[in-house]
Amino acid sequence: MSTGPAARSRFQPVIDHTHCPYARASTWISAEPADDALPVEHHLERALPLLRQTLRHVAEGRADGFVLDLPDRLGADLVALRASSLGVLRWLAGRSTPPSRIGMDDLEDPAWWFPFDGERLFTVAFGSCFGPHHTRFSFHAEGFFLVFQHESAFSRRHPDGIPMAVRDRVRQAFEQAGRPYRYDMGVVPALRGEGGRR
């Protein structure tokens, strides 16, 4: 598997240990590791051209998705992770062509895909608030990550949609690892019934 400028990507532990076969088989381009001393907007301005470059690589069949690396404090607890995810995605959505408006209800919807520059990106948030029994456990990777996987990463492998047998194998792998897969979770989990680190 190849990555972008971040062969030293802080997200690598998740890719190495995830139970999701699509994440392991995908080619990722990663933003530079976050610097906690810099404002979030600095990271976003620096990452925006790389996100667009990733979409060009996707169109050429050279990449599947993009990993945005941001300071760990943004995902330190569930409230912070939700607010950070919404803020970052709104910032990106405002710079998309065409721009789009999004709300927390979008991020909580498991069927929602982030629209950016005319593309659809399956988007999930990872942060240190998710403990070892949670679907989004990040295997002690240091950082808050938003992961954008282009829809072609799935459609190239399954043009008619992901077969139920494949979905069942993914679900079983997560369950056997002690972190049952949450099909009802979107970019972020809803607050109801969530207790943060689990």
Side-chain angles (χ1 to χ4, degrees):
M1 182 188 75
S2 63
T3 60
R8 60 190 181 281
S9 170
R10 300 194 304 171
F11 191 67
Q12 195 63 44
V14 181
I15 296 171
D16 289 342
H17 298 291
T18 183
H19 314 296
C20 174
Y22 298 101
R24 286 197 310 269
S26 291
T27 300
W28 298 98
I29 294 178
S30 299
E32 292 291 328
D35 181 341
D36 285 354
L38 296 175
V40 174
E41 291 75 14
H42 173 89
H43 293 96
L44 297 178
E45 292 284 2
R46 184 176 62 179
L48 183 58
L50 190 56
L51 172 57
R52 289 199 160 106
Q53 179 184 346
T54 299
L55 295 180
R56 292 192 295 272
H57 288 336
V58 166
E60 297 164 358
R62 297 166 51 201
D64 296 298
F66 179 71
V67 179
L68 179 57
D69 183 324
L70 293 167
D72 185 63
R73 68 179 182 276
L74 301 182
D77 60 59
L78 189 56
V79 172
L81 178 129
R82 285 166 50 86
S84 300
S85 298
L86 182 60
V88 168
L89 291 175
R90 279 182 168 165
W91 189 96
L92 291 171
R95 286 149 182 84
S96 171
T97 304
S100 61
R101 296 173 63 90
I102 61 173
M104 186 60 77
D105 55 336
D106 295 314
L107 273 62
E108 292 177 348
D109 182 354
W112 183 78
W113 293 50
F114 179 55
F116 185 80
D117 282 2
E119 307 289 347
R120 284 177 8 109
L121 305 172
F122 177 69
T123 305
V124 295
F126 287 86
S128 55
C129 62
F130 297 126
H133 302 296
H134 196 282
T135 299
R136 297 271 173 86
F137 179 52
S138 56
F139 302 94
H140 310 293
E142 294 182 7
F144 164 65
F145 306 97
L146 278 170
V147 179
F148 302 88
Q149 196 161 18
H150 194 274
E151 62 182 333
S152 65
F154 306 95
S155 62
R156 277 201 312 270
R157 295 168 175 86
H158 303 293
D160 298 322
I162 302 173
M164 189 54 66
V166 173
R167 293 178 185 272
D168 287 343
R169 283 199 300 273
V170 172
R171 179 183 52 77
Q172 289 168 5
F174 274 87
E175 286 181 354
Q176 289 169 0
R179 48 187 73 97
Y181 191 81
R182 292 282 306 276
Y183 285 107
D184 63 336
M185 187 165 56
V187 177
V188 299
L191 281 177
R192 51 191 177 277
E194 288 288 340
R197 187 181 292 272
R198 294 171 19 128

